[in-house]
Structures are given as C-alpha cells and as structure tokens.
Amino acid sequence: MVKIKICGMKRLEDIEMVNKYKPDYIGFVFAQSPRKVSYEQAKELSSYLDEDIVPVGVFVDEHMKLIVDLFKDGIIKFAQLHGAEGENYIRNLKDKSIEKTGKEIPVINAIEISNDVHDFNEKLLKWRDSASDYFILDSGKGSGKTFDWGLIDKNSEFFKNCIFLAGGLNSENLNLAIEEFNPFAVDLSSSVETAGFKDEEKIREIVDIMDNYR
C-alpha cells in the first residue's frame, strides 16, 4: 500500500478539497515559498482538517521552538526538514518535543538527489544510522522536476518502508514511479495546482490513480 501526501495547504478551500479526497498526509510550508503559511494560518487551517489526515510541517533550518510549539499545539504531527539540519539537530528536536509534550515528533528528513550516482551514494551513507523516521527523496526544494529513479537500490534495507518520493510527480508519471520504486508514500504539490492554487480536479485525478495502490 502506497500512501499519498499533498503539500502546500494555504487556503480553507484546500482543506475542503483534501477532506473530500482523503490523502494520508498534507503539508503546511513554513519555509520561504509561494505556499508559505504563518503559525496562525496553519492553526486555523488545521482546525478544519479531517482527523484521519496527518498534518506535516515543512521547514528549512527553522528554530526548534517554532516546530515544537506547532507540535505541542497539535497543528502539525510530523516535521519535514529540507535545510542543512544535521543529525544533532534531529536528535535535539526529538528530545525537546518529548520534554515539552511527552511525545517524540516524527521526522521526515529530505535528501536532495542529483543525477550523480557518487553524490547520491555519499548522501545515503551519511544518513544510514539517522534518528529520522522517514526520508523524502527529491530533486530539490520545490523544483518540480524528477530525478533518475534508476539510481535507487530498490532492494536496500535503507529504503524499506520509510521513503517518501517527491519531485515532478504528476498524473502522467505516477504509475511508472510507483511501479519502478514502490515507495512508502508519494508527495505532490505543484502538479495538483493551476495558476498557483490547488485544483480539485487534479487532486481527484491523482487520488483516483492512487486508489490502485492504497
């Protein structure tokens, strides 16, 4: 079973769409982006979110206090990190979340994949013993481009049940991506938008495709 995440919620209309089509995860972006939301915006939007959908906060080198406060207030349930956060940062974030809430925040750590196989292998080795709960493989923050899926060793224990696949996924290549890689989850954002806003018809199309794998 492959899960689905739709990132970049910024309007009540977006929440209404995902509540209707029930992806497994949604993303609130707190980093610099056209989809960026404030603490108060995310708080309001999350209050309308179906309780079966997991809200994820997306961050780039963010101060831990904001992440922990969002987690403590129930606005997010996962943290997705896309900056230069190292293993110490991740472990400290988890420790602080336990200290403030009694619960450990799950972390999705982003690994940016170039089409240089040597660079790719070095990045994997770096995170082999990470405290991260999941990894998201992408070609770059919001690039909207795919990377060479053939670089991934599909039999590696490193990837078992922990990978979100992102970067350029859309209705035309989603089946191929899943068949070639079989990730834990797929992550989409710009491909379910029209003119910078979430498009219900595109979300419906993606969810219809994903019904074959869920």
Side-chain angles (χ1 to χ4, degrees), residues 28-82:
F28 292 124
V29 178
F30 295 94
Q32 194 58 46
S33 163
R35 304 175 187 89
K36 182 177 181 179
V37 292
S38 67
Y39 191 104
E40 291 304 318
Q41 285 175 306
K43 182 177 181 179
E44 179 182 9
L45 293 174
S46 68
S47 71
Y48 292 100
L49 185 67
D50 188 292
E51 64 180 10
D52 292 330
I53 302 172
V54 176
V56 179
V58 180
F59 307 95
V60 176
D61 300 323
E62 185 57 72
H63 193 285
M64 289 183 197
K65 184 179 186 305
L66 174 62
I67 301 176
V68 173
D69 285 348
L70 287 161
F71 183 60
K72 181 179 179 181
D73 287 350
I75 298 169
I76 64 170
K77 294 183 179 179
F78 281 50
Q80 181 174 317
L81 308 178
H82 278 265

Side-chain angles (χ1 to χ4, degrees), residues 4 8 14 24 29 51 60 62 70 78-79 87 110 122 124 127 136 145 160 196 204:
I4 180 171
D14 301 338
D24 302 283
V29 178
E51 64 180 10
V60 176
E62 185 57 72
L70 287 161
F78 281 50
E87 188 64 15
E122 288 175 3
L124 292 188
W127 296 107
I136 183 165
K145 298 178 180 179
K160 192 173 183 180
R204 183 199 61 76

Side-chain angles (χ1 to χ4, degrees), residues 54-144:
V54 176
V56 179
V58 180
F59 307 95
V60 176
D61 300 323
E62 185 57 72
H63 193 285
M64 289 183 197
K65 184 179 186 305
L66 174 62
I67 301 176
V68 173
D69 285 348
L70 287 161
F71 183 60
K72 181 179 179 181
D73 287 350
I75 298 169
I76 64 170
K77 294 183 179 179
F78 281 50
Q80 181 174 317
L81 308 178
H82 278 265
E85 302 93 350
E87 188 64 15
N88 286 340
Y89 180 101
I90 293 168
R91 293 181 185 276
N92 287 337
L93 175 61
K94 285 176 169 285
D95 288 344
K96 287 183 182 297
S97 68
I98 293 172
E99 178 186 333
K100 295 295 184 181
T101 72
K103 298 182 292 183
E104 181 179 279
I105 188 169
V107 170
I108 307 171
N109 190 27
I111 301 179
E112 187 173 316
I113 305 300
S114 75
N115 288 329
D116 181 337
V117 66
H118 300 294
D119 179 58
F120 175 75
N121 287 332
E122 288 175 3
K123 288 186 177 183
L124 292 188
L125 290 172
K126 176 182 177 182
W127 296 107
R128 181 172 51 190
D129 299 316
S130 175
S132 302
D133 301 275
Y134 301 90
F135 294 91
I136 183 165
L137 303 185
D138 202 347
S139 56
K141 294 182 283 291
S143 71

Side-chain angles (χ1 to χ4, degrees), residues 170-171 174-175 204-213:
N170 56 51
S171 60
L174 193 56
N175 281 312
R204 183 199 61 76
E205 185 177 14
I206 290 295
V207 171
D208 284 349
I209 293 170
M210 291 301 299
D211 281 344
N212 296 319
Y213 304 100

